[in-house]
Amino acid sequence: MPITSIIGELGRARRGGYAIPLFGFFEMNAVEGVIRAAEEASSPVILGIYTNMIDADSVEASAAYIRRRAEGCKVPVSLFLDHGQSYEQCIRAMAFGFTDVMFDGSRLPFEENMEITRLIVRAAHAVGAGVEAELGHVGMAADEAGDSSGLTDPDSVRRFVAETGVDSLAISIGTAHGVYRGTPRLDFDLLSRIASVTDIPLVMHGGSGLTEEQFRRAVAGGMAKINIATDLFQASTAAMREKALQEADYGCMVEAVASAHYERSLHYFKLFGSVNAAGRGDMR
Ligand SMILES: [Zn+2]
C-alpha cells in the first residue's frame, strides 16, 4: 500500500489500548528485517530517520526507497523524521516524502516551542503529514540518571495541544535515550494525569531497556507510540560479532543485521499489542 501518515493508526492505537513502535534505522538491511516482521505480525510500522541524517546527500534517495518498498507491503508504513530540530528541517523532510515529522522543541521556552510547532502543524496538514511535538524533555540516560527536572507538566499539556493542533505528543515520565545504568523509574501517576487531559496519542521515547511490565503499564496508560532504537542496534552488533567469530563473509554479516531486526521488532509488535492491528479499523 502507499506510504502513509501514521496519525490515523495512532488514534486507533490510543483508543484500542495498544501501541505502534517506531524503529530507528540508518541502513536498508535493518529496514528489510523490520518490514519482514511487520508483515508477519500484520502490524503498522514507523521507520524513523534521526535528525542528524536529514542533511546527508543520501537521505532523499533513502526516502524514495522506503516509499517504493512500502508500496509492495501489506501493512501501513510511515516514514518519520525523529527529533526534527527546526521548522526548515521538518519542511525539508516532507519535501523528500516523509509522511510524519517530529519537531523537538523540548529545550526551548514553552511559548517558542508552541509557536514553532503550530507553524509546522499548519504546513504539514496542508500536505497530509502528521506532526509530533515534545513537551517536557526526555534526555540521555548517560547524563541524567535520577534527574526529574525534565518531566512533563500536565497543566501545560491541554493548552499546548489546543493551540498547536499537534497530532501526537512525546512526554517525559522518567525515560531516557540510550543505555540505562539501572532499571529506570517511571512516573505512572504523572502519565495518568497527562492522559486525563488529552486524548491525542502519547509518545514514549527512550524505550530500550524498560521491563516488559513497564512497557505494558505505559501502553495501558495511553502511550500509543513507542520509540525503539538502542535495543535494535545492540542486538545487531551482537549478531555481527557472533558472525565475525565464525569468520562469516560480508553477505552473512548483513543478513545477521536483518535477522536481528526481524526478531527484535517482532518481539515489540507482540509486546505492544499491535499484532493484527493493520486493517483492523476502529474498534469503537
Ligand atoms: Zn527520542
Side-chain angles (χ1 to χ4, degrees):
M1 55 180 66
I3 199 167
T4 183
S5 167
I6 203 66
I7 292 306
E9 294 290 345
L10 290 182
R12 276 188 280 283
R14 169 99 202 247
R15 292 189 293 272
Y18 60 94
I20 298 169
L22 173 149
F23 296 121
F25 77 97
F26 47 83
E27 56 87 25
M28 297 310 152
N29 296 291
V31 170
E32 291 304 322
V34 168
I35 285 180
R36 204 191 313 162
E39 293 207 291
E40 188 172 314
S42 195
S43 171
V45 65
I46 307 164
L47 297 170
I49 287 185
Y50 190 64
T51 175
N52 62 359
M53 292 173 63
I54 196 70
D55 296 323
D57 291 340
S58 60
V59 74
E60 188 171 6
S62 297
Y65 172 84
I66 300 293
R67 291 182 74 83
R68 181 66 190 86
R69 191 65 183 78
E71 282 171 18
C73 287
K74 298 188 287 268
V75 297
V77 176
S78 152
L79 179 60
F80 197 103
L81 172 65
D82 197 23
H83 291 280
Q85 293 297 302
S86 65
Y87 175 86
E88 289 76 10
Q89 210 175 56
C90 290
I91 299 298
R92 192 177 318 134
M94 289 186 272
F96 290 156
F98 283 59
T99 58
D100 299 273
V101 296
M102 175 194 188
F103 171 64
D104 179 358
S106 63
R107 287 186 180 280
L108 298 175
F110 177 81
E111 299 287 338
E112 195 176 344
N113 184 7
M114 195 160 65
E115 177 59 14
I116 299 172
T117 300
R118 191 179 65 75
L119 291 173
I120 294 169
V121 168
R122 188 170 166 191
H125 288 182
V127 294
V131 180
E132 172 183 323
E134 180 166 332
L135 201 52
H137 179 70
V138 178
M140 299 299 295
D143 304 340
E144 300 188 15
D147 180 1
S148 62
S149 63
L151 296 181
T152 302
D153 170 16
D155 294 334
S156 63
V157 169
R158 194 195 307 264
R159 181 171 164 231
F160 188 91
V161 170
E163 294 199 15
T164 59
V166 76
D167 300 295
S168 62
L169 188 66
I171 57 170
S172 174
I173 62 164
T175 57
H177 295 101
V179 180
Y180 292 104
R181 290 179 193 154
T183 302
R185 292 219 319 272
L186 304 190
D187 189 340
F188 289 107
D189 178 56
L190 176 60
L191 174 58
S192 78
R193 282 190 287 148
I194 295 167
S196 71
V197 296
T198 183
D199 58 4
I200 69 168
L202 302 175
V203 179
M204 188 159 80
H205 286 242
S208 298
L210 302 189
T211 67
E212 294 195 2
E213 176 62 19
Q214 286 177 316
F215 277 124
R216 287 195 191 94
R217 286 184 70 183
V219 172
M223 293 293 199
K225 170 176 173 280
I226 298 178
N227 288 16
I228 302 285
T230 301
D231 179 64
L232 300 180
F233 300 161
Q234 288 180 324
S236 296
T237 303
M240 282 195 288
R241 284 212 178 103
E242 198 179 313
K243 291 287 178 191
L245 290 174
Q246 298 163 6
E247 298 185 6
D249 65 14
Y250 172 74
C252 291
M253 300 281 274
V254 296
E255 175 52 31
V257 172
S259 294
H261 275 74
Y262 163 78
E263 284 165 20
R264 293 309 293 162
S265 51
L266 194 57
H267 164 77
Y268 286 112
F269 291 130
K270 291 175 181 169
L271 182 58
F272 299 165
S274 67
V275 172
N276 291 326
R280 189 190 288 171
D282 215 317
M283 303 291 278
R284 293 204 308 189

